[in-house]
Amino acid sequence: MTQTAHGVEFNQQLSATPKSAEERAAILANPGFGNFFTDHTAIVDYSVDENGDGGWHHPRVEAYGPISLDPSAAVLHYGQEIFEGLKAYRHADGSIWTFRPEANAARLNKSARRLALPELPAEYFLGAIRELVATDKEWVPAGDGEALYLRPFMIATEAFLGVRAAREVSFRVIASPAGNYFGGELKPVSIWISREYARAGRGGTGAAKCGGNYAASLIAQQEAEANGCKQVLFLDQFNDNAIEELGGMNVFFVMKDGSLATPALTGTILEGVTRSSVIQVAKDMGRDVSERKITLDEWRDGVASGEITEVFACGTAAVITPIGVLKDATEFIGSEDAKAGETTMAIREQLLGIQTGTVPDTHGWLTRLA
């Protein structure tokens, strides 16, 4: 069976053993984050022909399952891999929408350029998402704060050990029902300051969404968890300990005058889709937003003086999460008894309202999937 999405025909090879309604309901009752996956995956292949011309082909939806790779596949040896993250939301009328997918498609291609992977035409990116969600629409949860998390990714599949860009690549999308990222009631989280490790360096891959960046952050994340913290904060130790980002989220500061500030994009910070959306939502609410250098000293002194009244993190998975305490072996900034700030919650509610259809989408950010 062939379906057409965004002008691209996707062949359907549906699973012979999808989860039953009862099995699916049991999963959706407590999905967690990234623990369960839907019945299908969307795939598009890329290859270079004997004339050196490359192209995308064979778009399809097939049963979710293991990927067969040659042991010499380039992704396994040189890490030529990128990914994205976005969500599908079920609105009150039962329709299913996603938020700013064109921005994710553009960022995927920015990452592809940095990792020497082929750029993916937007119609394939959007078509794959639409086709997968339409096929597995019963997996989209309807609970408060819940969504279907979508993970598009691109891997180099060519079997060879030479150090060059791969000539065979696979783009795929998988989907996972998701609850609250940090679980339970929304409370300010504790953040660990990474003094020893860096997430990225100038001229590196910090602005790309690639697995290597996250792999490099995991040891710092383990250190954070060992010290009772939910996330880790990375600094630029060669630039006055300038704030960069958390392991998987951007950071915002609410100032005493009601304005917001966030670290400027310097090439070592990922340009989050949620980050840019928060900036626009804050401006819509009449607040000034500055993108600039913010140091650890400013964070410490601002909290002590009252100049900084709230701090929050943002990203696709958690949307917006208030930060209560920033600490390491010698530092303790903030309060463990902190409550979620009014500005933080107002922006969070506005953004979630747009995503879930309870607040008007004045920017045309939503795309209907099913």
Side-chain angles (χ1 to χ4, degrees):
M1 180 179 179
T2 299
Q3 299 286 341
T4 301
H6 283 88
V8 178
E9 290 189 351
F10 280 76
N11 184 54
Q12 286 193 330
Q13 303 166 17
L14 299 184
S15 172
T17 57
K19 291 286 193 301
S20 68
E22 292 75 18
E23 290 174 309
R24 190 172 58 245
I27 290 171
L28 294 181
N30 184 25
F33 186 87
N35 297 325
F36 304 97
F37 298 91
T38 67
D39 296 308
H40 297 91
T41 179
I43 306 171
V44 189
D45 297 322
Y46 174 91
S47 59
V48 176
D49 64 22
E50 58 187 13
N51 297 317
D53 298 322
W56 292 96
H57 54 86
H58 197 198
R60 62 199 183 277
V61 170
E62 63 182 40
Y64 180 95
I67 299 173
S68 178
L69 286 175
D70 191 283
S72 66
V75 67
L76 302 177
H77 298 271
Y78 306 122
Q80 212 180 353
E81 175 272 348
I82 57 175
F83 68 98
E84 274 299 319
L86 64 164
K87 289 179 175 178
Y89 300 87
R90 188 178 296 279
H91 288 192
D93 63 358
S95 61
I96 301 168
W97 301 71
T98 193
F99 181 75
R100 303 191 65 186
E102 298 86 357
N104 290 97
R107 189 173 65 179
L108 182 88
N109 281 336
K110 181 178 180 181
S111 298
R113 290 191 292 273
R114 182 62 185 84
L115 272 292
L117 286 162
E119 294 187 39
L120 179 77
E123 59 266 27
Y124 282 106
F125 184 95
L126 298 172
I129 289 169
R130 183 187 294 275
E131 192 64 19
L132 178 60
V133 172
T135 303
D136 284 344
K137 59 182 178 292
E138 299 303 322
W139 282 91
V140 182
D144 184 35
E146 296 180 340
L148 185 68
Y149 182 78
L150 304 172
R151 169 55 60 87
F153 63 101
M154 189 187 295
I155 59 175
T157 56
E158 184 181 0
F160 79 106
L161 292 180
V163 182
R164 59 163 172 75
R167 294 167 182 160
E168 294 176 8
V169 171
S170 179
F171 169 74
R172 295 168 179 256
V173 185
I174 57 176
S176 173
N180 187 304
Y181 186 72
F182 288 118
E185 179 184 352
L186 183 68
K187 296 179 180 179
V189 296
S190 298
I191 306 297
W192 182 256
I193 306 169
S194 178
R195 297 286 191 177
E196 184 175 356
Y197 304 106
R199 176 185 169 275
R202 297 191 183 278
T205 58
K209 196 169 179 68
C210 62
N213 292 344
Y214 292 79
S217 75
L218 294 180
I219 190 170
Q221 179 65 30
Q222 288 178 330
E223 187 178 75
E225 292 170 356
N227 286 276
C229 294
K230 292 286 190 180
Q231 269 282 350
V232 61
L233 173 74
F234 291 101
L235 307 172
D236 184 344
Q237 299 178 24
F238 302 99
N239 186 25
D240 303 320
N241 278 333
I243 306 301
E244 294 212 312
E245 62 175 279
L246 304 187
M249 294 183 283
N250 298 114
V251 183
F252 277 85
F253 300 85
V254 181
M255 315 307 284
K256 183 171 62 177
D257 63 4
S259 65
L260 274 70
T262 191
L265 301 174
T266 60
T268 59
I269 298 173
L270 183 68
E271 185 177 0
V273 175
T274 305
R275 176 188 181 276
S276 63
S277 303
V278 167
I279 291 172
Q280 185 60 59
V281 167
K283 290 179 177 179
D284 291 345
M285 298 169 70
R287 297 179 182 272
D288 292 330
V289 183
S290 61
E291 299 177 67
R292 59 178 177 82
K293 177 181 174 180
I294 303 167
T295 65
L296 182 61
D297 286 344
E298 181 179 354
W299 190 337
R300 180 194 306 109
D301 296 343
V303 169
S305 68
E307 182 62 28
I308 295 175
T309 60
E310 304 172 32
V311 188
F312 65 86
C314 69
T316 298
V319 188
I320 290 178
T321 299
I323 295 174
V325 172
L326 178 68
K327 65 180 182 178
D328 66 4
T330 60
E331 290 270 6
F332 194 95
I333 303 170
S335 170
E336 290 182 328
D337 299 323
K339 305 295 183 183
E342 291 184 7
T343 299
T344 298
M345 294 307 293
I347 294 174
R348 184 178 191 274
E349 290 170 7
Q350 181 73 8
L351 188 56
L352 275 173
I354 295 170
Q355 292 171 339
T356 58
T358 61
V359 171
D361 172 25
T362 59
H363 296 287
W365 283 340
L366 296 179
T367 295
R368 183 167 182 170
L369 300 177

